[in-house]
């Protein structure tokens, strides 16, 4: 089992930045694909970004390309999401997810392991 705990959410003004962290425990996730999803009030959960086990390839949802950066530190069993130039429409609960690549249809999922989420609010 893999446990994931997100942190770093909060309130930020439009144009500002936040850095989310997702710490994994239970087993090393160095061989896992990891990703970030978000869910805004009244909307379905959506894919934000993903990173393969080595960190050499990353993927982003179109609306965050050029603003968000996903990265990982396998020595710390942690994945990050750096969010810059934030917009009110980025307001959501952000979730971290992980799974072995062989169990995924693609990097959008479906993922077996999820964190509890962290709230991000961007004020205009």
């Amino acid at each position: 089992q893999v446990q994931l705990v997100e942190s770093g959410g909060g309130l930020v003004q439009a144009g500002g930045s936040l850095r989310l962290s997702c710490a994994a425990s239970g087993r090393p996730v160095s061989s896992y694909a990891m990703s970030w999803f978000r869910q805004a009030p009244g909307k379905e959960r959506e894919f934000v970004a993903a990173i393969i086990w080595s960190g050499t390839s990353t993927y982003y949802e179109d609306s965050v390309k050029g603003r968000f950066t996903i990265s990982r530190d396998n020595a710390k069993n942690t994945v990050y999401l750096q969010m810059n130039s934030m917009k009110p429409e980025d307001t959501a609960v952000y979730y971290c997810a992980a799974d072995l690549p062989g169990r995924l249809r693609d990097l959008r999922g479906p993922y077996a392991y999820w964190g509890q989420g962290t709230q991000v609010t961007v004020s205009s």
Side-chain angles (χ1 to χ4, degrees):
Q1 289 285 350
V2 174
Q3 293 79 44
L4 302 172
V5 178
E6 303 94 335
S7 61
L11 175 64
V12 63
Q13 288 189 331
S17 298
L18 279 177
R19 188 194 196 204
L20 305 183
S21 298
C22 172
S25 61
R27 62 178 60 183
V29 292
S30 56
S31 60
Y32 284 60
M34 299 191 72
S35 64
W36 289 94
F37 287 75
R38 67 186 180 187
Q39 186 167 20
K43 296 187 177 182
E44 293 189 355
R45 187 171 58 194
E46 66 172 357
F47 170 82
V48 175
I51 187 166
I52 68 171
W53 68 273
S54 64
T56 55
S57 292
T58 56
Y59 302 88
Y60 298 94
E61 192 265 331
D62 286 346
S63 68
V64 306
K65 284 181 181 177
R67 300 189 299 122
F68 291 10
T69 302
I70 188 171
S71 62
R72 66 191 298 161
D73 185 336
N74 286 337
K76 296 182 178 179
N77 240 22
T78 300
V79 66
Y80 306 96
L81 186 67
Q82 177 68 44
M83 303 184 292
N84 299 328
S85 302
M86 296 186 72
K87 305 175 181 180
E89 50 264 44
D90 294 323
T91 295
V93 177
Y94 282 70
Y95 298 90
C96 174
D99 210 336
L100 290 169
R103 292 204 287 250
L104 297 172
R105 180 175 63 243
D106 56 42
L107 283 175
R108 293 175 179 264
Y111 288 85
Y113 303 107
W114 292 86
Q116 82 291 347
T118 185
Q119 176 69 48
V120 171
T121 303
V122 184
S123 63
S124 57

